[in-house]
Amino acid sequence: MIDVLLYLLGIVIVLAGLALSIGLHEIGHLLPAKLFGVKVTQYMVGFGKTLWSRRIGETEYGVKAIPLGGYVAMIGMYPPQKAGEAPRASTTGFLNSVMEEGKPGQTEPRRGIGAMVDEARLASAETIAHGEDHRTFYRLPMWKKIVIMLGGPIMNLVLAFVFFAIVLVGFGLPQSSTTLGSVSECLLPASSTATSCTTSDPEAPAAAAGMLPGDRVVAVDGAPVEGWEQFRSTVAASPDRALEVTVERDGASRSLVLTPVPNERLRLDADGAIVTGVNGEPQTEVVGMIGATPAVENVSQPLTAVPEYVGENVAAVAGIIANLPQRMVDVWNAAFGAEERDPNGPMSVVGVGRLAGEVVSLDAAPVAAKAQTMFGLLGSLNIALFVFNLVPLMPLDGGHIAGAIYEGIKRGIARLRGRPDPGPVDTARMVPVTFVVVIALGAMSVLLMYADIVKPVSLFG
């Protein structure tokens, strides 16, 4: 019962972190919008039924039942119809036909794509009260539009920096230390299936030298050892050569004689790929082996390491999004076939919640390790929100940013050619694209949630 409660706690933590991330994302839109004088009528975290709301000034602030999104409602998101064009009546349905007025003999409604555009444009116009046209979003200059729409993703990027700084600086990253984690009693051939040593098996060099788990390697032949890779490289380069190894044990230094035994292995290049000869056959090399492995410990990283770590995560998420069609095919094949899920592939909030539940309910993991993993999950979640919202498609923030950039370029070209200002770009024309994107995102979300239920990704196999 306790494990179940801890599992649910992990899910609740992720949902709370998601709601916080979304709420701050929307604040990233809200603050610059108010700073630039745009009238904001609503600030909402979540979708569905309103659980709580309160009006402060001209803005209603509230929380809705489903914490999977949010929005800031600004008046005049879309510019009105062009001057001289007759207004069209509005209906309550997004896809319903819209009657055109003002044209003699016009009785047939506009249908399909035209109706969508008209409905969006008129719905935007209805948010503008008398005398408030100067406070609309569409009248802002290009750079202010970009600042408002970029504010949300930037807020997620800042949160990712904070969460990953806690992980890297506060907890540290696991690294192989110069402390021995395990020392084998004997050396077993690679082809052996035995799990224990016998009297006929050769003694491992580390054990023969008197090394014990917990010993910290300080120096080799008088040269200080700074890290495990340095020690491993020295051992590999010294088959059948006696090394004077200084270790620290229980606060005291001890000098031991270690003689690595020769071991043949495949030769690898700097990227870890197998090196082949002119005939295509893999090449081998003889290296020293001692039968000891390092202990893994968390090493605190400098704050300067955080930007690079965040950049690597951004690049990884961008790669997933760039190959999203193929990734979704892989998810489909895994969900409805025998293929395994890619642990580095996309997942829904259901999958992230399950991972969090696994972490929190794991008995063997210390509290610090659980907290570190949770902060890492929240950092990754904010990176996903940052990158995904920059995709240049409506209704994502990147779509509005792309529209503002296009408008700026169009007006700039008009100025250079001495032509009249073409005015705001009619972004309402992108509503059909928005409709398609929303359907596609909905379908992908359903598929990911289904896959996360029937074939979830697990941190522990």
Side-chain angles (χ1 to χ4, degrees):
M1 184 63 181
I2 294 178
D3 289 342
V4 174
L5 292 177
L6 288 173
Y7 191 93
L8 293 176
L9 176 62
I11 296 175
V12 170
I13 290 174
V14 165
L15 289 178
L18 177 62
L20 174 66
S21 301
I22 292 171
L24 292 176
H25 174 101
E26 299 305 333
I27 286 178
H29 295 312
L30 176 74
L31 294 181
K34 285 185 171 290
L35 179 65
F36 297 146
V38 178
K39 183 177 179 180
V40 181
T41 58
Q42 281 188 317
Y43 165 89
M44 291 289 172
V45 176
F47 293 115
K49 183 179 179 181
T50 300
L51 301 179
W52 172 87
S53 70
R54 180 180 179 184
R55 180 169 294 279
I56 302 177
E58 62 189 14
T59 306
E60 178 189 8
Y61 298 85
V63 176
K64 291 181 176 289
I66 306 174
L68 300 181
Y71 62 91
V72 168
M74 295 175 281
I75 68 170
M77 286 294 292
Y78 300 125
Q81 294 168 309
K82 295 180 180 179
E85 193 172 85
R88 299 181 179 120
S90 176
T91 65
T92 57
F94 181 64
L95 299 178
N96 289 349
S97 303
V98 179
M99 296 292 293
E100 287 193 75
E101 298 178 355
K103 293 185 180 180
Q106 178 78 45
T107 58
E108 290 297 318
R110 281 166 56 90
R111 299 180 181 275
I113 292 177
M116 291 187 201
V117 175
D118 291 342
E119 185 70 19
R121 189 185 292 118
L122 288 173
S124 176
E126 289 170 357
T127 65
I128 308 171
H130 178 71
E132 292 183 341
D133 192 61
H134 65 290
R135 301 189 61 193
T136 55
F137 176 82
Y138 79 87
R139 284 191 175 275
L140 292 175
M142 174 188 69
W143 71 271
K144 289 186 177 181
K145 290 180 179 179
I146 293 176
V147 169
I148 291 175
M149 301 315 299
L150 198 57
I154 291 298
M155 187 66 79
N156 291 126
L157 185 62
V158 171
L159 284 171
F161 264 90
V162 172
F163 288 132
F164 284 139
I166 293 174
V167 171
L168 270 65
V169 181
F171 293 99
L173 292 180
Q175 293 182 359
S176 298
S177 68
T178 57
T179 300
L180 300 182
S182 65
V183 176
S184 301
E185 295 180 7
C186 63
L187 293 180
L188 297 173
S191 58
S192 175
T193 58
T195 57
S196 61
C197 297
T198 65
T199 55
S200 61
D201 295 321
E203 189 177 16
M211 288 183 162
L212 298 175
D215 286 352
R216 186 170 70 87
V217 180
V218 177
V220 176
D221 290 339
V225 174
E226 302 296 335
W228 180 261
E229 283 303 312
Q230 177 189 350
F231 178 63
R232 188 186 66 82
S233 298
T234 301
V235 168
S238 308
D240 280 334
R241 185 168 75 85
L243 303 172
E244 183 182 353
V245 179
T246 303
V247 300
E248 185 179 278
R249 182 187 301 168
D250 298 329
S253 294
R254 297 172 181 264
S255 182
L256 307 173
V257 177
L258 176 68
T259 304
V261 297
N263 178 53
E264 187 177 18
R265 71 179 185 186
L266 293 173
R267 185 187 298 274
L268 304 178
D269 60 19
D271 297 324
I274 298 175
V275 177
T276 57
V278 292
N279 58 356
E281 293 294 323
Q283 295 185 351
T284 61
E285 59 182 351
V286 176
V287 297
M289 180 180 179
I290 64 172
T293 57
V296 177
E297 59 185 24
N298 282 349
V299 178
S300 180
Q301 305 296 306
L303 192 60
T304 53
V306 178
E308 180 181 359
Y309 193 81
V310 170
E312 291 173 354
N313 277 266
V314 169
V317 174
I320 291 176
I321 293 177
N323 298 289
L324 195 56
Q326 181 57 49
R327 295 276 189 167
M328 296 309 298
V329 170
D330 295 339
V331 172
W332 176 279
N333 292 335
F336 297 97
E339 295 184 15
E340 293 298 320
R341 286 285 298 278
D342 180 1
N344 298 314
M347 66 179 68
S348 69
V349 67
V350 173
V352 176
R354 291 189 67 150
L355 292 182
E358 283 188 9
V359 172
V360 175
S361 61
L362 189 65
D363 292 333
V367 174
K370 294 179 181 181
Q372 179 185 20
T373 304
M374 295 300 293
F375 280 118
L377 283 174
L378 292 176
S380 299
L381 185 63
N382 275 276
I383 289 294
L385 290 173
F386 166 72
V387 177
F388 190 72
N389 273 285
L390 290 181
V391 175
L393 291 173
M394 297 284 197
L396 302 173
D397 298 331
H400 292 282
I401 293 171
I405 293 174
Y406 174 68
E407 177 182 306
I409 294 174
K410 187 177 179 181
R411 284 179 154 175
I413 293 174
R415 282 195 300 269
L416 290 175
R417 293 181 175 180
R419 295 180 178 176
D421 185 350
V425 170
D426 187 6
T427 50
R429 295 182 181 275
M430 295 302 295
V431 167
V433 176
T434 302
F435 185 71
V436 173
V437 171
V438 168
I439 291 177
L441 292 179
M444 288 190 293
S445 298
V446 170
L447 174 59
L448 287 173
M449 285 189 285
Y450 177 77
D452 287 335
I453 293 172
V454 300
K455 193 170 287 187
V457 174
S458 175
L459 290 176
F460 311 108

